[in-house]
Coordinates of all heavy atoms in Angstrom, one line a residue:
K22 N -15.6 15.5 -7.7 CA -15.9 14.0 -7.7 C -17.3 13.8 -7.3 O -18.1 13.0 -8.0 CB -15.1 13.4 -6.5 CG -15.5 12.0 -6.0 CD -14.7 11.4 -5.0 CE -15.1 11.8 -3.6 NZ -16.2 11.1 -3.0
N23 N -17.9 14.5 -6.4 CA -19.3 14.4 -5.9 C -20.3 14.9 -6.8 O -21.6 14.8 -6.6 CB -19.4 14.9 -4.4 CG -18.7 13.9 -3.5 OD1 -18.3 12.9 -3.9 ND2 -18.6 14.4 -2.3
A24 N -19.9 15.6 -7.9 CA -20.8 15.9 -9.0 C -20.6 14.9 -10.2 O -21.6 14.5 -10.8 CB -20.5 17.3 -9.5
L26 N -19.9 11.8 -10.0 CA -20.4 10.4 -9.7 C -21.9 10.4 -10.0 O -22.3 9.5 -10.9 CB -20.2 10.0 -8.2 CG -18.7 9.9 -7.9 CD1 -18.6 9.5 -6.4 CD2 -18.0 8.9 -8.7
P27 N -22.8 11.3 -9.5 CA -24.2 11.2 -10.0 C -24.4 11.5 -11.5 O -25.3 10.9 -12.2 CB -24.9 12.3 -9.2 CG -23.8 13.2 -8.6 CD -22.6 12.3 -8.6
D49 N -12.5 6.8 -7.3 CA -14.0 6.6 -7.3 C -14.6 6.8 -8.8 O -15.6 6.1 -9.1 CB -14.7 7.6 -6.4 CG -14.7 7.2 -4.9 OD1 -14.0 6.2 -4.7 OD2 -15.3 7.8 -4.2
R96 N -19.6 3.6 -1.6 CA -21.0 3.8 -1.1 C -21.9 4.4 -2.2 O -23.0 4.1 -2.4 CB -21.1 4.4 0.1 CG -22.5 4.5 0.7 CD -22.6 5.4 2.0 NE -23.9 5.5 2.3 CZ -24.8 6.2 1.6 NH1 -24.4 6.9 0.6 NH2 -26.0 6.3 2.0
A97 N -21.2 5.4 -2.9 CA -22.0 6.2 -3.8 C -22.5 5.4 -5.0 O -23.2 5.8 -5.9 CB -21.1 7.2 -4.3
T99 N -24.7 3.4 -4.8 CA -26.2 3.3 -4.7 C -26.9 4.4 -5.6 O -28.0 4.4 -5.8 CB -26.6 3.6 -3.3 OG1 -26.0 4.7 -2.8 CG2 -26.2 2.4 -2.4
L100 N -26.0 5.3 -6.1 CA -26.7 6.3 -7.1 C -27.1 5.7 -8.3 O -27.9 6.3 -9.1 CB -25.5 7.3 -7.4 CG -25.3 8.5 -6.4 CD1 -24.0 9.1 -6.7 CD2 -26.5 9.4 -6.5
I122 N -17.0 6.4 8.5 CA -17.5 7.6 9.1 C -18.9 7.4 9.6 O -19.5 8.3 10.3 CB -17.5 8.9 8.2 CG1 -18.3 8.6 6.9 CG2 -16.0 9.1 7.8 CD1 -18.4 9.8 6.1
G123 N -19.6 6.2 9.3 CA -20.9 6.0 10.0 C -21.7 4.9 9.3 O -21.2 4.3 8.3
A124 N -22.9 4.7 9.7 CA -23.7 3.6 9.3 C -24.1 3.8 7.9 O -24.1 2.9 7.0 CB -25.0 3.6 10.2
R125 N -24.5 5.0 7.5 CA -24.8 5.5 6.2 C -25.9 4.6 5.5 O -25.6 4.0 4.4 CB -23.5 5.6 5.4 CG -22.5 6.4 6.1 CD -21.4 6.8 5.2 NE -21.7 7.7 4.1 CZ -20.8 8.1 3.3 NH1 -19.6 7.6 3.3 NH2 -21.2 8.9 2.3
P126 N -27.0 4.5 6.2 CA -28.2 3.8 5.5 C -28.6 4.4 4.3 O -28.3 5.5 4.0 CB -29.2 3.8 6.6 CG -28.9 5.1 7.4 CD -27.5 5.2 7.3
I127 N -29.5 3.7 3.5 CA -30.0 4.3 2.4 C -31.7 4.1 2.4 O -32.3 4.1 1.5 CB -29.6 3.6 1.0 CG1 -29.8 2.0 1.0 CG2 -28.1 3.9 0.7 CD1 -29.6 1.5 -0.4
D128 N -32.1 4.1 3.7 CA -33.6 4.0 3.8 C -34.3 5.0 3.2 O -35.4 4.8 2.7 CB -33.9 3.9 5.4 CG -33.3 5.1 6.1 OD1 -32.2 5.4 5.9 OD2 -34.1 5.7 6.9
L129 N -33.7 6.3 3.1 CA -34.5 7.4 2.5 C -34.6 7.2 1.0 O -35.6 7.6 0.4 CB -33.9 8.7 2.9 CG -33.9 8.9 4.5 CD1 -33.3 10.2 4.8 CD2 -35.3 8.8 5.1
H130 N -33.6 6.6 0.4 CA -33.5 6.4 -1.0 C -34.7 5.5 -1.3 O -35.6 5.5 -2.2 CB -32.3 5.6 -1.6 CG -31.0 6.5 -1.3 ND1 -30.1 6.7 -2.3 CD2 -30.5 7.1 -0.2 CE1 -29.1 7.4 -1.8 NE2 -29.3 7.6 -0.6
I131 N -34.8 4.4 -0.5 CA -35.8 3.3 -0.7 C -37.2 3.8 -0.5 O -38.0 3.6 -1.3 CB -35.4 2.1 0.3 CG1 -34.2 1.4 -0.3 CG2 -36.6 1.0 0.4 CD1 -33.6 0.4 0.8
K164 N -34.8 13.3 6.4 CA -33.5 13.9 6.7 C -33.0 14.5 5.4 O -33.3 13.9 4.3 CB -32.5 12.9 7.2 CG -32.6 12.6 8.7 CD -31.6 11.6 9.1 CE -30.2 12.4 9.4 NZ -29.3 11.5 10.1
I165 N -32.2 15.4 5.5 CA -31.5 16.0 4.2 C -30.5 15.0 3.8 O -29.5 14.7 4.5 CB -31.0 17.4 4.4 CG1 -32.1 18.4 4.7 CG2 -30.2 17.8 3.2 CD1 -31.6 19.8 5.0
T166 N -30.6 14.5 2.6 CA -29.6 13.5 2.1 C -29.2 13.9 0.7 O -30.0 14.0 -0.2 CB -30.1 12.1 2.0 OG1 -29.4 11.2 1.1 CG2 -31.6 12.0 1.6
V167 N -27.9 14.0 0.4 CA -27.4 14.5 -0.8 C -27.6 13.5 -2.0 O -28.3 13.7 -2.9 CB -25.9 14.8 -0.8 CG1 -25.2 15.2 -2.1 CG2 -25.6 15.9 0.3
T168 N -27.0 12.2 -1.7 CA -27.3 11.2 -2.8 C -28.8 10.7 -2.9 O -29.2 10.3 -3.9 CB -26.4 10.0 -2.6 OG1 -26.4 9.5 -1.4 CG2 -24.9 10.4 -3.0
G169 N -29.4 10.9 -1.7 CA -30.9 10.5 -1.7 C -31.6 11.5 -2.6 O -32.4 11.0 -3.5
E171 N -30.4 13.2 -5.0 CA -29.9 12.8 -6.4 C -30.6 11.6 -7.1 O -30.9 11.6 -8.2 CB -28.4 12.8 -6.5 CG -27.7 14.1 -6.1 CD -26.2 14.0 -5.7 OE1 -25.7 12.9 -5.5 OE2 -25.5 15.1 -5.8
A190 N -31.5 18.2 -0.4 CA -30.2 18.7 -0.3 C -30.0 19.8 -1.2 O -30.5 19.9 -2.4 CB -29.1 17.6 -0.5
E192 N -26.8 21.1 -2.0 CA -25.4 21.2 -2.4 C -25.3 21.5 -3.9 O -26.2 21.1 -4.7 CB -24.7 19.7 -2.2 CG -24.2 19.5 -0.7 CD -25.1 19.5 0.4 OE1 -26.4 19.5 0.1 OE2 -24.7 19.4 1.5
E194 N -23.6 20.3 -6.1 CA -23.5 19.1 -6.9 C -24.9 18.6 -7.3 O -25.1 18.0 -8.3 CB -22.8 18.0 -6.1 CG -21.2 18.3 -5.9 CD -21.0 19.2 -4.8 OE1 -21.9 19.3 -3.8 OE2 -20.0 19.9 -4.9
R236 N -15.3 21.9 -4.7 CA -15.3 22.9 -3.6 C -14.5 22.3 -2.4 O -14.0 23.1 -1.7 CB -16.6 23.3 -3.3 CG -17.6 22.3 -2.7 CD -19.0 22.7 -2.6 NE -19.8 21.5 -2.4 CZ -20.3 21.1 -1.2 NH1 -20.0 21.9 -0.2 NH2 -21.0 20.0 -1.1
I237 N -14.6 21.0 -2.2 CA -13.9 20.5 -1.1 C -12.4 20.4 -1.3 O -11.6 20.7 -0.4 CB -14.4 19.0 -0.7 CG1 -16.0 19.1 -0.6 CG2 -13.8 18.4 0.5 CD1 -16.5 19.9 0.5
E300 N -22.9 21.6 8.9 CA -24.3 21.6 8.6 C -24.5 21.3 7.1 O -23.5 21.4 6.3 CB -24.9 23.0 8.7 CG -24.6 23.7 10.1 CD -25.5 23.0 11.3 OE1 -26.4 22.2 10.8 OE2 -25.2 23.2 12.4
E301 N -25.7 20.9 6.7 CA -25.9 20.8 5.3 C -25.7 22.1 4.5 O -25.8 23.1 5.2 CB -27.3 20.3 5.1 CG -27.7 18.9 5.6 CD -28.2 19.0 7.0 OE1 -28.2 20.1 7.6 OE2 -28.6 17.9 7.5
H302 N -25.3 22.0 3.3 CA -25.1 23.2 2.4 C -26.3 24.1 2.5 O -27.5 23.6 2.5 CB -24.9 22.8 1.0 CG -24.3 23.9 0.1 ND1 -23.0 24.3 0.1 CD2 -24.9 24.8 -0.7 CE1 -22.9 25.3 -0.6 NE2 -23.9 25.6 -1.2
P306 N -19.3 22.7 5.4 CA -19.4 21.3 4.9 C -18.7 20.3 5.7 O -17.5 20.4 6.1 CB -18.6 21.4 3.5 CG -17.8 22.6 3.6 CD -18.4 23.5 4.5
T307 N -19.4 19.1 6.1 CA -18.7 18.1 6.8 C -17.5 17.6 6.1 O -16.5 17.1 6.9 CB -19.8 16.9 7.1 OG1 -19.1 15.8 7.7 CG2 -20.4 16.4 5.8
D308 N -17.4 17.7 4.9 CA -16.2 17.1 4.1 C -15.0 18.0 4.3 O -13.9 17.7 3.9 CB -16.6 17.1 2.6 CG -17.6 15.9 2.4 OD1 -17.9 15.1 3.3 OD2 -18.0 15.8 1.2
N329 N -22.3 17.4 13.0 CA -23.8 17.1 13.0 C -24.3 16.2 11.9 O -25.4 15.7 11.9 CB -24.6 18.4 12.9 CG -24.4 19.3 14.1 OD1 -24.6 18.8 15.2 ND2 -24.1 20.6 13.9
I330 N -23.4 15.8 10.9 CA -23.9 15.0 9.8 C -23.7 13.5 10.0 O -24.6 12.7 9.8 CB -23.2 15.5 8.5 CG1 -23.4 17.0 8.3 CG2 -23.8 14.7 7.3 CD1 -24.8 17.5 8.2
F331 N -22.5 13.2 10.4 CA -22.0 11.7 10.6 C -21.8 11.5 12.0 O -21.2 12.4 12.7 CB -20.9 11.4 9.6 CG -21.3 11.5 8.2 CD1 -20.8 12.4 7.3 CD2 -22.1 10.5 7.7 CE1 -21.1 12.4 6.0 CE2 -22.5 10.5 6.3 CZ -21.9 11.4 5.5
E332 N -22.0 10.2 12.4 CA -21.8 9.9 13.8 C -20.4 9.5 14.2 O -20.1 9.3 15.3 CB -22.8 8.8 14.3 CG -22.6 7.4 13.5 CD -23.4 7.3 12.3 OE1 -23.7 8.4 11.6 OE2 -23.8 6.2 11.9
R334 N -17.1 10.7 12.6 CA -16.2 11.4 11.7 C -15.1 12.1 12.4 O -14.6 13.2 12.0 CB -17.0 12.3 10.8 CG -16.2 12.6 9.5 CD -17.0 13.2 8.4 NE -16.3 13.1 7.1 CZ -16.8 13.4 6.0 NH1 -17.9 14.1 5.9 NH2 -16.0 13.2 4.9
R353 N -20.3 14.0 19.8 CA -20.3 14.6 18.5 C -19.5 15.9 18.5 O -19.3 16.6 17.5 CB -21.7 15.1 18.1 CG -22.7 13.8 17.8 CD -22.7 13.7 16.3 NE -23.7 12.6 15.9 CZ -24.3 12.5 14.7 NH1 -24.2 13.5 13.9 NH2 -25.1 11.5 14.4
D372 N -10.0 7.5 6.2 CA -11.1 7.8 5.3 C -10.6 9.0 4.4 O -9.6 9.6 4.7 CB -12.4 8.0 5.9 CG -12.5 9.2 6.7 OD1 -12.6 10.3 6.2 OD2 -12.3 9.1 8.0
L373 N -11.3 9.3 3.4 CA -10.9 10.2 2.4 C -10.4 11.6 3.1 O -9.4 12.2 2.8 CB -11.9 10.4 1.4 CG -11.9 11.6 0.4 CD1 -10.5 11.5 -0.4 CD2 -13.0 11.6 -0.5
R374 N -11.4 12.2 3.8 CA -11.1 13.6 4.4 C -10.2 13.6 5.6 O -9.4 14.5 5.8 CB -12.4 14.2 4.6 CG -13.3 14.3 3.5 CD -12.8 14.8 2.2 NE -13.7 14.7 1.1 CZ -13.6 15.0 -0.1 NH1 -12.4 15.6 -0.5 NH2 -14.4 14.9 -1.0
Ligands
LIG501 C1 -22.7 12.7 0.3 O1 -22.8 11.5 0.9 C2 -21.2 12.8 -0.2 N1 -20.9 11.8 -1.1 C3 -20.4 12.8 1.1 O2 -19.0 13.0 0.7 C4 -20.8 13.9 2.1 O3 -20.0 13.8 3.2 C5 -22.2 13.8 2.4 O4 -23.0 13.8 1.1 C6 -22.8 14.9 3.3 O5 -22.5 16.2 2.6 C7 -21.2 12.0 -2.4 O6 -21.9 13.0 -2.8 C8 -20.9 10.9 -3.3 P1 -26.1 12.0 3.0 P2 -24.2 10.8 1.1 O7 -27.0 11.0 2.4 O8 -25.2 11.3 0.2 C9 -28.1 10.1 6.8 C10 -16.7 12.6 0.5 O9 -15.9 12.7 1.4 N2 -29.0 9.2 5.8 O10 -26.3 13.5 2.7 O11 -24.0 9.5 1.4 C11 -26.7 9.7 6.8 O12 -26.3 8.6 7.6 C12 -18.1 12.0 0.9 O13 -16.6 13.0 -0.6 C13 -29.9 8.4 6.3 O14 -30.2 8.3 7.4 O15 -24.6 11.6 2.6 C14 -26.0 10.9 7.3 O16 -26.0 10.9 8.6 C15 -18.1 11.4 2.4 N3 -30.6 7.7 5.4 C16 -26.9 12.0 6.7 O17 -28.2 11.4 6.4 C17 -30.4 7.8 4.0 O18 -31.2 7.1 3.2 C18 -26.4 12.7 5.5 O19 -26.0 11.7 4.5 C19 -29.5 8.6 3.6 C20 -28.7 9.3 4.5

Side-chain angles (χ1 to χ4, degrees):
K22 161 180 91 79
N23 289 350
L26 298 178
D49 278 6
R96 183 187 175 287
T99 49
L100 278 165
I122 62 178
R125 306 191 71 186
I127 57 167
D128 56 311
L129 302 179
H130 300 232
I131 289 167
K164 281 180 81 164
I165 294 175
T166 159
V167 175
T168 50
E171 293 165 343
E192 272 67 6
E194 293 76 29
R236 62 194 167 96
I237 304 301
E300 305 292 344
E301 294 88 357
H302 194 78
T307 174
D308 290 350
N329 289 314
I330 308 295
F331 290 110
E332 62 270 27
R334 201 169 198 176
R353 292 261 181 152
D372 63 85
L373 170 55
R374 306 306 174 181

